Amino acid sequence: MSQQSSVDVAGLLAKLAEAQHGAERGELDPAELPGLVRAQRVVRELAGWPVEADSDR
């Protein structure tokens, strides 16, 4: 049985970006930074949103 779920893509990307900025400022573990950046790209790709918006990261 397949189960579909929906996610607020904009909200998820905002949370990931917030965590990324926290890692960049040293408020969170900087080792998490590459994973946070990649997670944003993956979410954009899966949602069909432009990935180019993250190209400067």
Side-chain angles (χ1 to χ4, degrees), residues 9 12-17 19-20 32-47 51 54 57:
V9 173
L12 178 57
L13 288 172
K15 286 287 191 183
L16 288 168
Q20 175 187 346
E32 295 179 15
L33 190 55
L36 292 166
V37 171
R38 180 66 184 139
Q40 290 175 68
R41 293 184 67 83
V42 168
V43 169
R44 285 181 174 280
E45 288 172 5
L46 290 174
V51 176
D54 293 329
R57 297 181 189 168

Side-chain angles (χ1 to χ4, degrees), residues 1-5:
M1 175 178 240
S2 176
Q3 189 177 38
Q4 277 191 310
S5 62

Side-chain angles (χ1 to χ4, degrees), residues 10-28:
L12 178 57
L13 288 172
K15 286 287 191 183
L16 288 168
E18 183 179 312
Q20 175 187 346
H21 294 306
E24 290 171 343
R25 291 187 301 261
E27 298 167 1
L28 300 173

